[in-house]
Amino acid sequence: MINVLQSMLDRRKLVKGGVAAGAVLALNPLWTPPGAFAQDEPDLPSDASDMDALIAGAQAENKIVSYGMPDYWANLGLMWETFMSKYDIAEHEDADLSSAQEIAKFLAEAENPIADIGDIGIQFAPTAIQLGVCAPFKNDTWDQIPDWAKHPDGLWAVQYYGNLVFMVNTDLVDPVPTSFASLLEPAYANSVSISDPAGAAQGNFTVFAAAFANGGDEANVQPGLDYFKNLVEVGNLKPTSPDLAQFQKGETVIGILWDYLALEFRDQLEGQVNLEIVVPEDASIAGPYASIINKWAPHPHAARLMRNFILSPEGQTIYAGGYATPILPDVEIPEEVAAKRPPAGAFASVRTIEDWNLGFVAFQQIANDWGPYVLGQ
Amino acid sequence: MTQQSLSPSSQPITLAPHDPITLDRVRRPRAPRWLSALPLPLLPFLIFCVLLEIVPVIVLIRDSLRVQGLGAFTFANYQVIADPLFARALGNSILISLGTAVLGAVVGGLVAAAIVSGSERGRRLSLGLVAVTSNFGGIPLSFAFIALLGTNGFITLLLRESFGVRLYPGTFSLYSWTGLTMVYFYFQLPLMILIFTPAIARLKPVWREAAATLGAPDWYYWWRVGLRVMAAPFIAALALLFANALGAYATAYALVGGNLNILPIQIGRYIEGDLNYDPGKASALSLILAVFMAVGISIAYTLTQRSQKWLS
Amino acid sequence: MAVLARQPAGARRWGQIVRAVLIAAVVLYLVLPLFSTVLFSLATAWSKTVLPEGYTLNAYRESFADPQIVRGIQRSLTATLATLLVGLALVVPALLYVHLRAPHFKRWLEFLAIVPWALPGVVLALAVIRTYISPYNVSRPAVLVLTYTLVSLPFMFRAIDAALSAVDLRTLVEAAQTLGAGWGEIGRRVILPNIAAGMLSASLLVAALASGEYVIARLLGGTGWKTFALYQAEAQFTDGRVAAALAVLGFGFTWVVSMALIAVAGRRGQAGPVMNK
């Protein structure tokens, strides 16, 4: 990690490339992270060994504030409802923020904290650690979480992930494309829509997946950028977004998006548009989201209890009900959900990024080169 | 209007000049000297401007000079503009804003003139339509255009199925500069009509009558009097439309995402993006954008000062 | 009407034709996107045909059945009304003072009122967030209203200043005082009728700006105080037809309010620039 951060301090890179929030700050001598002097309260639990104390503490706080965990996202509405009634917590508030904003706000509000818990794209986990905004907590299923998906000291843990899929409007597209390679065919002229790789994680992961499909990896995403440059040149990239309304109007006909969104859109549009969901054969990618607990959380017990609930089999099943893929290995997926998902075998092409030191740099490269290199802006 | 009710012939009222200071002394209740010296009615306005204009702008300048908007002092944020991507974004933004401002001002100005000279009923209906459409912007507006002129839109399909005309691919694309111009024009036009109708309504009918009495044809009146009098409010409106388009963000992002390179989208990525969150660079780019707006507005302001006297 | 009689009849008719064509084209341009929005809000399915495959009022039923959306509408109305009142309370006294007593201040006020033009919405929201919300976490709705007031300040200021500049207010007030009128009467019978039209066009612009504003509301209000426009944007992710239905409701509401405002201003003695012949 350190060498990555040091390379970012290189002035030229600093100017040219966007550096994720705080990666620079952490090493900046004129700026001391609040974590350096604000100590954790010693009596806060760092694991779930004493559940009674945790529940009692959370009930005394009787409130929880989250960032980036809105009701409409991945079945979180049901998640909050179940959590609050199960443990008798009266109040919940959420502010819908991007990952970087969550971390920046945890930090900015250290003196006057508001939020307790957040949900960030895993690519921001190193930044959150560097800035020292996370409190450690290992929930009671900690050992079942794969090693790549958790911080050794419990500072963050992946709670669910999505798989990148194609969603195809079969009323207007025939045949259905099955791989990144097939999207280049003339049949798909002006038909392929993705999110903005320079502004949205979903779009950035799309380019990453294309890199995997074309022989690249974490250390080399150039094949993904080359692939999209080619897709633009043959005229197959369409500048609409893979959002619900665009599918609904028949404007977006092939969209590349997370499977949990695709499955939900298809449910919503049943009877209006015929949609088919395909996991690309040559490569897909997992997009994990990690739970972080604010080090200065005003309701620290409630925050820990919530993480414990989310990572329990019950919480994981709720995520699965929202079409997210649970991080715990043996979670029971509700039958009606399993029936709608592509067959389990189709997900064999899904790759995970395991080295986020490299992944982080690749992410930046995609964001910075998308406009000038791929679109020629 | 009071002036008219006092003087039906539209002649200026002539009153014996008197000393307003004497009048003040008679009318105003006595107050301590320091209190009466204070321009009390101005205070709320001034306090508001300090709190919401001056302080935030100073904070913005401060942030633009710090790493990530909260770190150590740096000028690096401003060097972003040396990057061709951002320089071109600025150029594109200025071009489309100026283009749609001129287009909107000319067409909107003509429409305003037509509305003013039309019937009372027509005027009410048109102002209603203008009020409704001026409220139409952002994501819903972009989506309305997609439903009309997208690859699968109403007009696109109508032309293809009834007339055999294919807009896509090649002939037209909504997701191009042409398309973006059309959508910008849509929000510029009602704004122009709304701000220009009052100005054009103030053209005094007497002037036109006088010109006609002297035998001047209509075009001559417009050329020598109308256009000159209207120049100031027209330029002011033009500046407003320019600023309006230069800052447009939601509409553009909803239509083309990141596919066209304009500055508000680049700023938006630094504020809201999943990837390049950087309030420092966002502040610097914002201030650069603000400087260009300020230049445009100062030019307009200087120009308007010249013909202002016509309307008083 | 002697003016028109003097012109050659041919030129006059030609002018009328040009005007009719211009108006028709503009009306068509303005109405078509409204039309497509209305169609989509009523569609059962509309993804491959020229016109929707069928029609239903479901999207409207859903909108009204959702208490959150109703709350969003209430919030937007509150914000719009508050913006209007705060704006008038700031601008009217200041401009009256300047016109009546201290014309030399006008240049300065004008400058202050122009500043917000130079700052795009994204920028303003960012500046206000970093000044007040990040460090102090002050009330978001209040800051939202103040920011809308700021954004609409140029409109407000210009419209009312134009109305006041159109008459020689100082002379009128002095005349009224000479005739023995008190300040209450002067306010009601001299000042108000003269600025009513300016207030009307300012109000229409402010209402247009505040009731459907999205970027600032999203950045400033966050999810704690979601306005109508935010729910509308969210509906884009659950059902585009509901988003369209909300837009149509917005049109209807604006239409009613603006017609009411125009009627009110019209009754005030045909006063002011907008309704003036």
Side-chain angles (χ1 to χ4, degrees), chain A residues 70 72 94-96 101 105 108-109 112 114 169 171-172 243-251 264-265 268-269 271-274, chain C residues 40 43-50 53 68 133-137 140 218-219 222-224 226 234-241:
Chain A
Y72 68 83
D94 180 77
D96 191 1
Q101 285 170 325
K105 276 180 80 74
E109 294 159 355
N112 184 14
I114 297 164
N169 179 336
D171 297 334
L172 298 171
D243 290 339
L244 178 124
Q246 264 80 356
F247 277 112
Q248 193 170 19
K249 184 64 198 76
E251 191 68 18
E264 198 168 315
F265 289 179
Q268 295 277 355
L269 299 179
Q272 295 182 61
V273 188
N274 289 310
Chain C
F40 196 49
T44 52
W46 190 22
S47 65
K48 47 184 185 275
T49 44
V50 178
E53 290 168 30
Q68 285 202 309
I133 295 200
S134 300
Y136 307 114
N137 198 39
R140 283 161 178 270
R218 185 186 147 85
L219 290 174
T223 42
K226 273 191 205 163
E234 243 172 50
Q236 206 78 13
F237 290 89
T238 52
D239 190 343
R241 295 171 302 182

Side-chain angles (χ1 to χ4, degrees), chain C residues 143-209:
Chain C
V143 177
L144 187 66
V145 165
L146 289 178
T147 311
Y148 281 170
T149 310
L150 180 66
V151 177
S152 56
L153 198 62
F155 297 114
M156 197 57 121
F157 190 92
R158 287 242 143 193
I160 290 171
D161 182 44
L164 286 175
S165 304
V167 291
D168 187 353
L169 192 70
R170 202 165 174 163
T171 314
L172 286 178
V173 168
E174 281 163 12
Q177 283 175 327
T178 320
L179 295 170
W183 274 113
E185 203 175 354
I186 291 176
R188 209 174 58 242
R189 298 185 59 180
V190 179
I191 295 172
L192 197 61
N194 275 301
I195 60 172
M199 280 164 61
L200 166 70
S201 64
S203 306
L204 286 180
L205 284 161
V206 171
L209 190 140

Side-chain angles (χ1 to χ4, degrees), chain B residues 219-255:
Chain B
W219 64 265
Y220 190 77
Y221 159 77
W222 277 108
W223 177 243
R224 293 307 298 265
V225 184
L227 284 183
R228 277 158 207 240
V229 175
M230 283 295 104
F234 182 82
I235 291 167
L238 195 66
L240 179 63
L241 298 194
F242 175 69
N244 190 39
L246 207 51
Y249 166 64
T251 315
Y253 202 70
L255 187 71

Side-chain angles (χ1 to χ4, degrees), chain B residues 1-2 123 127 194-195 197-199 201-202, chain C residues 84 88 92 155-164 166-167 190-206 258 261-277:
Chain B
M1 195 181 268
T2 316
R123 205 175 314 164
L127 279 175
L194 219 48
I195 52 182
T197 305
R202 268 157 54 210
Chain C
L84 209 53
L88 288 172
V92 171
F155 297 114
M156 197 57 121
F157 190 92
R158 287 242 143 193
I160 290 171
D161 182 44
L164 286 175
V167 291
V190 179
I191 295 172
L192 197 61
N194 275 301
I195 60 172
M199 280 164 61
L200 166 70
S201 64
S203 306
L204 286 180
L205 284 161
V206 171
S258 53
L261 278 174
I262 291 168
V264 168
R267 248 212 327 274
R268 282 208 163 270
Q270 300 291 311
V274 173
M275 303 315 295
N276 194 2
K277 285 249 167 182

Side-chain angles (χ1 to χ4, degrees), chain A:
Chain A
M1 195 67 216
I2 295 299
N3 57 340
V4 175
L5 290 168
Q6 274 167 346
S7 75
M8 280 172 179
L9 281 176
D10 178 311
R11 209 177 146 73
R12 278 193 11 249
K13 275 196 180 164
L14 209 152
V15 173
K16 278 202 75 173
V19 177
V24 176
L25 289 180
L27 295 183
N28 195 309
L30 290 181
W31 191 86
T32 322
F37 43 82
Q39 287 299 315
D40 280 7
E41 282 181 51
D43 57 338
L44 286 171
S46 63
D47 60 43
S49 53
D50 189 352
M51 277 304 284
D52 292 342
L54 200 59
I55 294 170
Q59 283 175 341
E61 289 156 10
N62 211 17
K63 182 176 178 181
I64 182 163
V65 180
S66 60
Y67 282 165
M69 302 174 76
D71 286 354
Y72 68 83
W73 187 258
N75 217 14
L76 277 170
L78 181 63
M79 186 80 81
W80 286 116
E81 208 185 296
T82 317
F83 170 73
M84 287 165 73
S85 65
K86 180 168 181 162
Y87 294 110
D88 196 21
I89 308 280
E91 228 183 307
H92 165 238
E93 280 172 22
D94 180 77
D96 191 1
L97 302 172
S98 74
S99 303
Q101 285 170 325
E102 288 176 39
I103 297 170
K105 276 180 80 74
F106 276 6
L107 191 62
E109 294 159 355
E111 305 290 315
N112 184 14
I114 297 164
D116 302 305
I117 192 166
D119 181 40
I120 57 170
I122 194 181
Q123 63 277 15
F124 284 97
T127 309
I129 300 297
Q130 280 295 322
L131 290 173
V133 300
C134 307
F137 180 76
K138 294 183 180 177
N139 65 297
D140 52 18
T141 60
W142 190 258
D143 295 339
Q144 298 175 41
I145 302 171
D147 282 342
W148 65 266
K150 64 187 176 194
H151 185 268
D153 300 329
L155 292 174
W156 55 265
V158 169
Q159 32 197 10
Y160 65 95
Y161 62 95
N163 306 289
L164 207 65
V165 296
F166 298 168
M167 185 151 80
V168 183
N169 179 336
T170 51
D171 297 334
L172 298 171
V173 175
D174 184 54
V176 173
T178 53
S179 62
F180 277 99
S182 64
L183 291 179
L184 289 164
E185 288 165 14
Y188 307 120
N190 195 30
S191 299
V192 182
S193 302
I194 67 169
S195 292
D196 176 17
Q202 182 172 272
N204 204 294
F205 273 104
T206 305
V207 180
F208 225 126
F212 281 140
N214 289 280
D217 55 28
E218 287 104 313
N220 175 24
V221 288
Q222 192 59 38
L225 291 162
D226 291 338
Y227 168 84
F228 273 100
K229 193 177 167 70
N230 193 7
L231 197 72
V232 170
E233 272 160 16
V234 299
N236 286 8
L237 190 74
K238 184 174 186 179
T240 57
S241 58
D243 290 339
L244 178 124
Q246 264 80 356
F247 277 112
Q248 193 170 19
K249 184 64 198 76
E251 191 68 18
T252 291
V253 292
I254 302 172
I256 306 183
L257 65 170
W258 298 122
D259 55 353
Y260 50 86
L261 290 178
L263 286 157
E264 198 168 315
F265 289 179
R266 191 172 64 176
D267 282 356
Q268 295 277 355
L269 299 179
E270 205 185 331
Q272 295 182 61
V273 188
N274 289 310
L275 295 163
E276 194 173 323
I277 294 168
V278 184
V279 185
E281 283 164 2
D282 39 6
S284 171
I285 195 167
Y289 276 86
S291 151
I292 51 171
I293 293 171
N294 189 352
K295 188 177 200 166
W296 306 279
H299 313 103
H301 294 89
R304 285 158 176 79
L305 191 60
M306 179 64 181
R307 175 183 281 178
N308 200 64
F309 177 70
I310 287 180
L311 288 168
S312 70
E314 188 182 1
Q316 292 282 294
T317 306
I318 292 176
Y319 266 140
Y323 299 129
T325 308
I327 191 67
L328 291 187
D330 300 317
V331 173
E332 193 188 332
I333 293 181
E335 235 170 75
E336 69 274 17
V337 171
K340 285 179 188 166
R341 286 165 62 100
F347 290 101
S349 61
V350 176
R351 307 259 302 254
T352 51
I353 298 169
E354 302 198 1
D355 184 348
W356 268 104
N357 291 349
L358 294 171
F360 187 73
V361 176
F363 226 61
Q364 300 295 325
Q365 189 197 340
I366 293 170
N368 294 327
D369 288 354
W370 177 257
Y373 179 73
V374 178
L375 298 179
Q377 284 174 345

